[in-house]
Amino acid sequence: MQSKKGVSVMIYALCDFDLLQKYNLSCEDFINRCYELDVEIVQYRDKNFDLDKIKERLLLVRRLWDKTLIVNDYIELAEYCNGVHIGQGDLKKYGTIESIRDIIGDKILGLSTHNKEEVLKANQMDLDYIGLGAYRQTSTKDVSSVGGKKLLEIAKLSTHPVAIIGGVKLSDELDVDYKVIGSDICKSISPPYIDNKK
Protein backbone atom coordinates (compact mmCIF):
# COMPACT_ATOMS: atom_id res chain seq x y z
CA MET A 1 0.00 0.00 0.00
CA GLN A 2 1.36 3.36 -1.02
CA SER A 3 0.53 6.71 0.52
CA LYS A 4 -1.77 8.70 -1.76
CA LYS A 5 -1.59 12.15 -0.15
CA GLY A 6 -2.22 14.91 -2.64
CA VAL A 7 -4.90 12.96 -4.53
CA SER A 8 -8.49 12.17 -3.67
CA VAL A 9 -9.02 10.02 -0.61
CA MET A 10 -9.55 6.36 -1.45
CA ILE A 11 -12.40 4.33 -0.02
CA TYR A 12 -11.52 1.35 2.14
CA ALA A 13 -14.76 -0.61 2.52
CA LEU A 14 -15.64 -2.52 5.68
CA CYS A 15 -17.68 -5.59 4.77
CA ASP A 16 -18.97 -6.52 8.21
CA PHE A 17 -21.10 -9.67 8.38
CA ASP A 18 -23.31 -8.27 11.16
CA LEU A 19 -23.92 -5.11 9.11
CA LEU A 20 -24.90 -7.13 6.06
CA GLN A 21 -27.47 -8.99 8.16
CA LYS A 22 -28.73 -5.78 9.76
CA TYR A 23 -29.39 -4.25 6.33
CA ASN A 24 -30.57 -7.52 4.76
CA LEU A 25 -27.77 -7.47 2.19
CA SER A 26 -25.71 -10.24 0.62
CA CYS A 27 -21.95 -10.19 0.13
CA GLU A 28 -22.70 -9.86 -3.59
CA ASP A 29 -24.79 -6.71 -2.98
CA PHE A 30 -22.00 -5.13 -0.97
CA ILE A 31 -19.17 -6.04 -3.34
CA ASN A 32 -21.10 -4.87 -6.40
CA ARG A 33 -21.56 -1.49 -4.72
CA CYS A 34 -17.83 -1.39 -3.93
CA TYR A 35 -17.05 -1.74 -7.63
CA GLU A 36 -19.51 1.06 -8.42
CA LEU A 37 -17.79 3.31 -5.87
CA ASP A 38 -14.32 2.44 -7.19
CA VAL A 39 -13.28 1.13 -3.77
CA GLU A 40 -9.60 0.18 -3.48
CA ILE A 41 -9.65 -2.16 -0.48
CA VAL A 42 -12.26 -4.36 1.16
CA GLN A 43 -11.84 -5.62 4.72
CA TYR A 44 -13.97 -8.59 5.75
CA ARG A 45 -14.97 -8.57 9.43
CA ASP A 46 -16.89 -11.41 11.06
CA LYS A 47 -17.10 -11.63 14.85
CA ASN A 48 -19.81 -14.20 15.51
CA PHE A 49 -19.04 -17.59 13.96
CA ASP A 50 -16.45 -20.32 14.12
CA LEU A 51 -13.26 -20.11 12.08
CA ASP A 52 -14.42 -22.55 9.40
CA LYS A 53 -17.55 -20.46 8.75
CA ILE A 54 -15.53 -17.24 8.65
CA LYS A 55 -13.10 -18.85 6.19
CA GLU A 56 -16.01 -19.97 4.00
CA ARG A 57 -17.42 -16.45 3.84
CA LEU A 58 -14.00 -14.89 3.34
CA LEU A 59 -13.44 -17.18 0.35
CA LEU A 60 -16.80 -16.10 -1.06
CA VAL A 61 -15.75 -12.45 -0.81
CA ARG A 62 -12.40 -13.39 -2.42
CA ARG A 63 -14.25 -14.90 -5.40
CA LEU A 64 -16.35 -11.75 -5.76
CA TRP A 65 -13.60 -9.18 -5.17
CA ASP A 66 -10.50 -9.17 -7.38
CA LYS A 67 -8.79 -6.18 -5.76
CA THR A 68 -7.10 -5.89 -2.34
CA LEU A 69 -8.84 -7.96 0.36
CA ILE A 70 -7.99 -7.73 4.07
CA VAL A 71 -9.32 -9.97 6.84
CA ASN A 72 -10.03 -8.52 10.27
CA ASP A 73 -8.23 -10.14 13.23
CA TYR A 74 -7.83 -13.68 11.92
CA ILE A 75 -4.11 -13.91 11.23
CA GLU A 76 -4.52 -17.62 10.51
CA LEU A 77 -6.66 -16.73 7.45
CA ALA A 78 -4.10 -14.37 5.90
CA GLU A 79 -3.17 -16.94 3.26
CA TYR A 80 -6.62 -16.54 1.68
CA CYS A 81 -6.36 -12.78 1.12
CA ASN A 82 -3.88 -9.93 0.77
CA GLY A 83 -3.44 -9.14 4.43
CA VAL A 84 -4.74 -8.68 7.95
CA HIS A 85 -6.00 -5.79 10.05
CA ILE A 86 -5.48 -6.18 13.79
CA GLY A 87 -6.51 -4.25 16.88
CA GLN A 88 -4.51 -3.28 19.94
CA GLY A 89 -5.83 -6.39 21.71
CA ASP A 90 -4.53 -8.65 18.95
CA LEU A 91 -1.14 -6.99 19.22
CA LYS A 92 -1.05 -7.83 22.94
CA LYS A 93 -2.14 -11.40 22.17
CA TYR A 94 0.72 -12.01 19.73
CA GLY A 95 3.28 -9.97 21.63
CA THR A 96 5.01 -8.13 18.80
CA ILE A 97 4.52 -7.12 15.20
CA GLU A 98 7.54 -9.32 14.43
CA SER A 99 5.64 -12.36 15.76
CA ILE A 100 2.74 -11.53 13.45
CA ARG A 101 5.12 -10.96 10.52
CA ASP A 102 6.54 -14.44 11.16
CA ILE A 103 3.06 -15.80 10.48
CA ILE A 104 1.87 -13.60 7.59
CA GLY A 105 5.17 -12.78 5.88
CA ASP A 106 5.07 -9.76 3.59
CA LYS A 107 1.29 -9.57 3.35
CA ILE A 108 -0.38 -6.24 4.14
CA LEU A 109 -0.61 -5.53 7.88
CA GLY A 110 -2.72 -2.77 9.40
CA LEU A 111 -3.16 -1.80 13.04
CA SER A 112 -5.98 0.11 14.74
CA THR A 113 -4.88 3.18 16.69
CA HIS A 114 -6.92 5.62 18.75
CA ASN A 115 -4.65 8.41 19.96
CA LYS A 116 -1.34 10.19 19.54
CA GLU A 117 0.56 7.75 21.77
CA GLU A 118 -0.55 4.70 19.79
CA VAL A 119 0.24 6.42 16.48
CA LEU A 120 3.76 7.28 17.63
CA LYS A 121 4.31 3.68 18.79
CA ALA A 122 2.99 2.43 15.45
CA ASN A 123 5.61 4.56 13.67
CA GLN A 124 8.24 2.20 15.05
CA MET A 125 6.45 -0.92 13.76
CA ASP A 126 6.66 -2.81 10.47
CA LEU A 127 3.15 -1.90 9.31
CA ASP A 128 1.67 -1.06 5.92
CA TYR A 129 -0.94 1.35 7.29
CA ILE A 130 -2.79 2.34 10.45
CA GLY A 131 -6.47 2.69 11.14
CA LEU A 132 -7.19 5.76 13.28
CA GLY A 133 -10.49 6.33 15.04
CA ALA A 134 -13.17 6.51 15.94
CA TYR A 135 -13.97 9.56 13.83
CA ARG A 136 -17.56 9.66 15.11
CA GLN A 137 -19.92 7.31 16.96
CA THR A 138 -20.63 4.12 15.02
CA SER A 139 -23.15 1.31 15.31
CA THR A 140 -20.73 -1.38 14.10
CA LYS A 141 -18.83 -1.71 17.36
CA ASP A 142 -18.53 -0.25 20.83
CA VAL A 143 -16.54 2.97 20.75
CA SER A 144 -14.91 4.22 23.94
CA SER A 145 -13.66 7.51 22.49
CA VAL A 146 -14.57 9.64 19.51
CA GLY A 147 -11.83 11.86 18.10
CA GLY A 148 -13.64 13.80 15.38
CA LYS A 149 -11.61 16.43 13.53
CA LYS A 150 -8.71 16.27 15.99
CA LEU A 151 -7.88 12.85 14.52
CA LEU A 152 -6.89 14.59 11.30
CA GLU A 153 -4.14 16.42 13.20
CA ILE A 154 -3.01 13.21 14.89
CA ALA A 155 -2.96 11.49 11.47
CA LYS A 156 -0.22 13.92 10.35
CA LEU A 157 2.10 12.34 12.94
CA SER A 158 1.95 8.94 11.25
CA THR A 159 4.79 7.72 9.06
CA HIS A 160 2.38 5.11 7.64
CA PRO A 161 -0.61 5.66 5.36
CA VAL A 162 -3.67 6.47 7.49
CA ALA A 163 -7.19 5.08 7.21
CA ILE A 164 -9.74 7.04 9.27
CA ILE A 165 -12.24 4.64 10.85
CA GLY A 166 -15.47 4.78 12.82
CA GLY A 167 -18.67 6.35 11.56
CA VAL A 168 -17.10 7.74 8.39
CA LYS A 169 -19.53 8.70 5.61
CA LEU A 170 -19.14 8.66 1.85
CA SER A 171 -19.63 12.43 1.84
CA ASP A 172 -16.88 13.14 4.42
CA GLU A 173 -13.93 15.12 3.08
CA LEU A 174 -10.85 13.97 4.98
CA ASP A 175 -7.18 14.81 4.40
CA VAL A 176 -5.90 11.26 4.85
CA ASP A 177 -5.03 8.32 2.60
CA TYR A 178 -8.16 6.22 3.13
CA LYS A 179 -11.61 6.60 4.63
CA VAL A 180 -13.02 3.36 6.01
CA ILE A 181 -16.74 3.08 5.33
CA GLY A 182 -19.14 0.29 6.27
CA SER A 183 -22.67 1.25 7.22
CA ASP A 184 -22.82 4.22 4.84
CA ILE A 185 -22.14 1.87 1.92
CA CYS A 186 -24.88 -0.46 3.17
CA LYS A 187 -27.29 2.47 3.48
CA SER A 188 -26.52 3.52 -0.09
CA ILE A 189 -27.75 0.20 -1.50
CA SER A 190 -30.52 -0.89 0.84
CA PRO A 191 -34.13 0.31 1.04
CA PRO A 192 -34.76 3.08 3.58
CA TYR A 193 -33.70 1.56 6.85
CA ILE A 194 -35.24 2.27 10.24
CA ASP A 195 -33.14 1.42 13.26
CA ASN A 196 -35.71 0.52 15.90
CA LYS A 197 -33.03 0.52 18.59
CA LYS A 198 -32.71 4.31 18.53
Side-chain angles (χ1 to χ4, degrees):
M1 289 173 58
Q2 299 283 331
S3 177
K4 303 292 183 183
K5 289 195 186 331
V7 299
S8 60
V9 178
M10 292 181 290
I11 298 174
Y12 178 138
L14 179 61
C15 182
D16 181 285
F17 184 73
D18 286 345
L19 262 184
L20 296 182
Q21 290 193 310
K22 177 179 177 179
Y23 288 94
N24 196 27
L25 297 171
S26 67
C27 287
E28 290 89 347
D29 295 329
F30 189 90
I31 296 301
N32 287 339
R33 184 62 174 140
C34 288
Y35 281 117
E36 290 171 2
L37 293 169
D38 199 24
V39 165
E40 290 292 320
I41 301 167
V42 168
Q43 180 191 134
Y44 181 68
R45 182 167 74 187
D46 194 329
K47 299 285 191 181
N48 298 316
F49 292 86
D50 65 58
L51 193 61
D52 288 338
K53 199 67 180 170
I54 295 168
K55 176 183 169 184
E56 179 185 314
R57 288 196 281 257
L58 178 66
L59 291 174
L60 168 62
V61 175
R62 174 76 290 171
R63 286 193 297 275
L64 297 168
W65 182 248
D66 62 9
K67 296 162 92 173
T68 303
L69 177 63
I70 305 290
V71 67
N72 181 267
D73 292 346
Y74 294 97
I75 291 168
E76 54 271 64
L77 298 179
E79 65 181 288
Y80 304 108
C81 53
N82 302 101
V84 182
H85 183 88
I86 61 168
Q88 293 290 323
D90 301 300
L91 185 55
K92 289 175 184 163
K93 174 182 172 184
Y94 288 96
T96 64
I97 289 295
E98 289 73 25
S99 301
I100 296 168
R101 281 284 177 209
D102 287 343
I103 298 168
I104 71 168
D106 62 357
K107 288 187 178 272
I108 294 168
L109 180 57
L111 173 68
S112 291
T113 61
H114 309 91
N115 52 51
K116 176 181 175 180
E117 292 70 30
E118 290 177 355
V119 169
L120 293 176
K121 284 181 185 175
N123 286 346
Q124 308 306 313
M125 299 176 188
D126 181 14
L127 300 168
D128 295 286
Y129 73 95
I130 62 165
L132 177 60
Y135 183 66
R136 61 171 61 92
Q137 232 9 284
T138 175
S139 60
T140 61
K141 65 189 299 186
D142 291 333
V143 175
S144 58
S145 64
V146 175
K149 295 280 186 187
K150 74 178 181 183
L151 289 181
L152 302 180
E153 291 304 310
I154 295 172
K156 293 175 183 175
L157 301 174
S158 178
T159 58
H160 303 297
V162 177
I164 291 288
I165 58 179
V168 179
K169 299 179 184 299
L170 288 165
S171 59
D172 284 331
E173 294 186 13
L174 305 171
D175 185 20
V176 291
D177 302 282
Y178 303 93
K179 53 184 182 179
V180 181
I181 304 174
S183 59
D184 212 38
I185 291 177
C186 292
K187 289 174 186 175
S188 77
I189 52 178
S190 67
Y193 175 79
I194 299 172
D195 189 345
N196 294 321
K197 295 176 186 174
K198 290 186 177 179

